Structures are given as structure tokens and as C-alpha cells.
Amino acid sequence: MSILKFGGSNFLDPEGYHRVARHLAQRLATGENKIVVVVSAMKGETDRLKAQMLDLNKQASPSNLDAALAIGEMISACLLEAAVSRLGIPVTSLDGYGLGIRTNSDFGRATVESVDPRPIRSALQEHDVVIAAGAQAIDQSGRLTFLGRNASDLTAVVIASMMEEHACEIYSDVPGVYTGDPNLIAEAQLIPEIGYRTIAAMSRYGAKVLHHGAVEYAEKHAVTIFCKSLTNDGVVTGTTVTGHGNARSVTLARDVVVISFASVAERNNFRALLDQNGITTIDVEQNDRPGLCVMSDIDFAMRLVKGTGIPPISIGSTMVVTVLDASVRRVHVIPDYERAVSLARQLHEQMYPGAVAKRFGRG
């Protein structure tokens, strides 16, 4: 059995669904037996659904929001099922109600509490391909829960573990993990193998390759992650995420939320709250006031802040450039995008001197 996950960048148009379907058909034709495919929402769909909900009611309940946001992945699952079925392959799709994954009731970023492989095993008895809507499950009361933004990776890892496969393939628009964002830093180098904790730290500080929760779950349950990319020429395999392998990197986090507080004590209290919930933050000074940059799980963090009933002085956004080695080495908060990109490139060149020369054949 193979566990695959396809991100939203694979579904930019109808042809994307057909491309994935053809890939699945090819794998079955070459001898693979059963395939479970986890899908993300189409690019921009989750933001569209959230905006639509908040336009109707800015005070919409967390459970109502979770149910709405999960629709994006459900649509992707239905569309891919249609594309696979067209090729004559026995296929079905499951959403959070039928995946056998149960969570707590922390709507917005629910935590997996238990798993039951029987629903997926049952579906695989009658179908060669089972498509799973990512980033969703149900709580102990049967209500739909959302695992967080970009958490379809987590769904794939959870399914790999519960099906006792201990490996999954994650397909995105880049073939693996790089020393910097290859869309911004042309000289960024592909990292062939990387450890769980290293990539989890990169994710928490802005790298967009893998969801940090997925990596942390993979480490706990010994699931190897293979980062890949599906192109018109076939599959490109880039990075293997395992229990070992370190790499230096530069991350640039865009649209980081900055919260300003009336006092240092108030900031410390809020930081403690976010720390308790596993949310990465950075202390800053914003307009001569103590502030926090929220680096991960931003939507859930803002829900926690709102739940305290103590309004912050202000909420804004910024960019953060971070140098990572075995630990966080340097953090730069820069409001201007062009300056942030320039600094990220400079820091990467300092970290990997000669990368530009090698790229242009001068090394």
C-alpha cells in the first residue's frame, strides 16, 4: 500500500486533477496494489471560504468555521475521484467523518487523540484507490474538526502510521526541502536528507515545504517522509525526512502577525499562553511597545488571544528572516518585503559562500 499526499499547487486547474489521476493509474499498472491519496484544497480556496464566512458573521463560532474551511479539501477529493473514475479505476473518497481519525475539540487546530484504521481498510477492500480529504477529522462528539492551515501533510502522516506503512510521499510544487525559498533565492540548494527536528524548526519559522505538526507526528510514530514533485516529465524525488540529517537554512516568513501589548507583563502572559499551545513566537518592540511576532498556527493563536477577553493594543503584520542551524541563530524582523528578500539572499550567500559562482560555472 502507498500513502500519497498532493498539495493545492497540483490542482491549479482541471488538468492538474487529470495529471494526478494518470500518475495513480501508472503506478497501479506497474504493480502497486492499493493507494491512499490525501488531497489539499485548491490554492486560495481556504482563504476564500474563510472570507465568505466572516463576511456573513465576524463572530462565527469556531466549530462553524471548521466545518466551512474543511469544504475546500472535500471538493478536491470529489474532483480527483471523478478524474480517477474516468480512467476506469475503482475509487472512492472519504472526508473527515469517515477517515477514522478523532481529535479533541480545539477547533481551528485540533489535536489527534485516537485513530481507527478500519474505515480505510474497508474502503480498500472494494477500491484500488481511496482519496482522503486532508486537514480534517471529527471530535469525540462527532463534530467535524480542522487540523489547521496546511495540515493535509499531517493527515497523510497519521494515515501512514495508522495503516502501519511508516512512509508517505508528499507532492508539492518543489521537489524537496531547500536551504532557502527557491522561488526567492535562486542559489538555494536542495537538501537530500534532513532530520525531523531540523525541518520542523524550519517550518515553524516560515519554510512552506512541510507542516510542522506533520513532521513532529512523523518523528513520534517513525514515519519517513519523501518530498516529491509531479511534473510533466514524471516524478522528481528531492528530500527524505528521517531521524537524522542537519542542514543550515534561511527562512523568510511573510505576513507574520505582530501583536502589541500595554506592558511587558501582559506580553509575557500571552506568550506563556501561546507556548502552552505549541505556538512559536518572537519577542519584539513595536512602536516602543512590547510585542509578539506569531510565527506558527496564526489563525489558532488569534483565536486564543481573542478568548482571553483582554484586547491587545494593536495587531499588524510584518516579515521575519531567520537563520537556522542546529538551533535558531539569528532573527530579523523587517516590515519591508524587498528589504527582507534582499537580506535573506545576503544571509544565504554568507552561509553558503560561492553558491552563486558555482551556479554560473565560476566555482
Side-chain angles (χ1 to χ4, degrees):
M1 183 191 309
S2 299
I3 314 297
L4 285 60
K5 179 263 174 174
F6 290 90
S9 60
N10 292 281
F11 306 127
L12 300 179
D13 51 36
E15 172 56 25
Y17 292 95
H18 290 303
R19 185 186 302 114
V20 172
R22 290 193 297 268
H23 175 68
L24 300 176
Q26 181 182 29
R27 293 180 69 144
L28 291 170
T30 55
E32 290 195 36
N33 186 19
K34 301 288 185 177
I35 302 176
V36 179
V37 185
V38 178
V39 294
S40 297
M42 292 175 282
K43 190 173 183 180
E45 184 69 4
T46 303
D47 286 332
R48 186 189 69 80
L49 289 167
K50 180 182 177 182
Q52 194 171 22
M53 283 291 294
L54 296 181
D55 279 347
L56 288 170
N57 180 5
K58 294 190 183 301
Q59 306 301 321
S61 70
S63 60
N64 189 198
L65 274 173
D66 272 21
L69 297 183
I71 292 171
E73 281 76 12
M74 292 179 184
I75 292 172
S76 283
C78 291
L79 292 175
L80 183 57
E81 180 184 350
V84 173
S85 177
R86 185 180 180 183
L87 299 179
I89 297 170
V91 58
T92 190
S93 60
L94 300 172
D95 59 27
Y97 291 106
L99 287 175
I101 303 173
R102 286 188 177 266
T103 69
N104 63 11
S105 300
D106 288 343
F107 296 102
R109 198 206 60 182
T111 299
V112 175
E113 291 189 336
S114 65
V115 296
D116 179 1
R118 288 176 295 179
I120 294 179
R121 291 196 190 281
S122 177
L124 286 169
Q125 288 179 357
E126 299 181 19
H127 305 89
D128 292 337
V129 176
V130 171
I131 301 167
Q136 58 194 259
I138 57 173
D139 68 6
Q140 301 301 331
S141 299
R143 295 175 296 178
L144 196 70
T145 56
F146 199 54
L147 303 181
R149 287 297 188 96
N150 306 310
S152 292
D153 293 346
L154 176 57
T155 303
V157 172
V158 171
I159 290 175
S161 175
M162 67 191 278
M163 304 303 289
E164 299 182 342
E165 290 300 318
H166 297 292
C168 67
E169 305 170 25
I170 306 289
Y171 289 80
S172 67
D173 56 351
V174 293
V177 183
Y178 286 78
T179 55
D181 185 342
N183 296 312
L184 299 177
I185 303 172
E187 296 74 33
Q189 302 176 28
L190 183 67
I191 304 169
E193 185 174 9
I194 193 169
Y196 296 117
R197 296 186 184 185
T198 302
I199 181 59
M202 291 171 63
S203 175
R204 284 184 172 277
Y205 282 88
K208 299 296 185 183
V209 179
L210 288 173
H211 185 270
H212 63 84
V215 178
E216 289 156 2
Y217 195 96
E219 179 179 23
K220 182 177 179 181
H221 296 272
V223 175
T224 300
I225 301 174
F226 298 99
C227 299
K228 300 186 176 186
S229 183
L230 185 62
T231 70
N232 291 328
D233 299 322
V235 175
V236 178
T237 301
T239 303
T240 301
V241 182
T242 63
H244 50 82
N246 191 21
R248 296 169 296 163
S249 65
V250 175
T251 66
L252 195 164
R254 286 167 275 191
D255 298 321
V256 171
V257 168
V258 184
I259 309 173
S260 296
F261 300 98
S263 66
V264 171
E266 192 172 288
R267 176 181 67 185
N268 292 346
N269 288 336
F270 275 88
R271 189 199 322 110
L273 171 66
L274 299 183
D275 285 349
Q276 288 170 9
N277 285 273
I279 296 170
T280 304
T281 61
I282 299 170
D283 287 358
V284 293
E285 297 298 320
Q286 186 82 349
N287 299 322
D288 297 324
R289 291 187 180 277
L292 277 179
C293 284
V294 181
M295 300 297 299
S296 66
D297 305 295
I298 291 174
D299 287 351
F300 186 60
M302 298 311 297
R303 189 172 296 176
L304 291 173
V305 170
K306 182 179 178 181
T308 65
I310 305 172
I313 296 296
S314 65
I315 299 174
S317 63
T318 190
M319 276 144 286
V320 176
V321 178
T322 308
V323 176
L324 293 161
D325 201 330
S327 60
V328 178
R329 295 299 185 186
R330 283 176 284 172
V331 178
H332 306 267
V333 179
I334 303 176
D336 181 75
Y337 175 73
E338 295 299 331
R339 285 181 54 217
V341 172
S342 177
L343 177 61
R345 290 169 176 164
Q346 292 173 26
L347 292 171
H348 188 274
E349 172 62 18
Q350 292 172 14
M351 183 175 288
Y352 291 95
V356 176
K358 289 177 183 177
R359 180 169 182 263
F360 291 100
R362 299 196 295 270

